[in-house]
Amino acid sequence: MGDLEIVRHPRARRSRLSIDPATGRARLVVPTRAALKPALAWAAGKAEWLAAQRAALPQPRPFVPGAVLPVADESLTIAWREGPRRAVQREGDRIDCEGPVETLPRRIEAWLKRRALDLLTHETGEFAAKAGVAVAKVAIGDAKGRWGSCASTGVIRYSWRLILAPGFVRRATVAHEVAHRVHMNHGAAFHALVARLLGDDPAPAHAWLRTHGAALHWFGRSS
């Protein structure tokens, strides 16, 4: 239980144990005034349950030679060979790379982030023009709890891992964030605007992320 995260929560009425599907980390939520020792003992008795939950987590998808990645609706294979060139580049259905194999994961991730920023910037501009709004800046990050966010300053930030999701999921996320430039809420007018910008029902994209979104966080992990 050494990797157990303990959270005191003022609204919790009893201890609750869960596994974060994006990280695989166990979390124990304990009421603010509850004694910690009995809660830890209770959690220790849930070892079999925790093992079963971890066994059901998505499989790690490390960035190694031969790995196949879903990049913007295309399957691309990491093709590494010995050589001095450190730059990563696409050739047909391959992601070609040389250089030290031990730095390959970091370089592949950096390449994916560049692709993600370019594509998300382009699609944000497309939807912003359709909505008649301005976007101050598009940025990427790797938040575990959300796929996009829109600040009142006009800055829109996305998870770079959307480049690994199907295009209809990525575009629905972009439409969602751009719509927040008009409505900073989730009311009926907001949802109607999202559907108009997308030209489709965004519900399948939301359903896909609920079912498969956690697996995107396991790309690039070896364990």
Side-chain angles (χ1 to χ4, degrees), residues 31-62:
T32 302
R33 300 192 179 189
L36 184 57
K37 189 173 180 180
L40 287 172
W42 171 77
K46 296 292 185 180
E48 288 188 9
W49 180 85
L50 284 172
Q53 295 298 306
R54 286 194 168 112
L57 288 171
Q59 292 298 304
R61 302 281 296 275

Side-chain angles (χ1 to χ4, degrees), residues 43-95:
K46 296 292 185 180
E48 288 188 9
W49 180 85
L50 284 172
Q53 295 298 306
R54 286 194 168 112
L57 288 171
Q59 292 298 304
R61 302 281 296 275
F63 298 147
V64 295
V68 179
L69 307 179
V71 181
D73 287 327
E74 296 185 273
S75 293
L76 304 182
T77 302
I78 297 175
W80 175 85
R81 61 180 177 273
E82 299 242 1
R85 178 173 53 82
R86 292 173 179 261
V88 176
Q89 61 188 35
R90 177 179 174 178
E91 292 290 344
D93 61 356
R94 304 189 316 274
I95 304 173

Side-chain angles (χ1 to χ4, degrees), residues 144-222:
K144 296 295 186 292
R146 55 172 54 186
W147 300 103
S149 63
C150 178
S152 58
T153 58
V155 175
I156 293 181
R157 179 177 293 272
Y158 301 101
S159 167
W160 70 265
R161 295 177 184 276
L162 287 168
I163 196 72
L164 302 168
F168 77 93
V169 173
R170 184 188 66 250
R171 289 179 63 82
T173 304
V174 174
H176 182 106
E177 299 309 330
V178 170
H180 276 313
R181 294 293 296 129
V182 180
H183 305 286
M184 289 297 284
N185 56 58
H186 289 101
F190 165 80
H191 290 295
L193 179 57
V194 173
R196 181 172 69 80
L197 293 176
L198 188 61
D200 204 352
D201 182 1
H206 298 159
W208 191 96
L209 283 172
R210 284 194 300 271
T211 303
H212 305 289
L216 298 180
H217 292 288
W218 290 74
F219 280 93
R221 293 181 56 172
S222 56

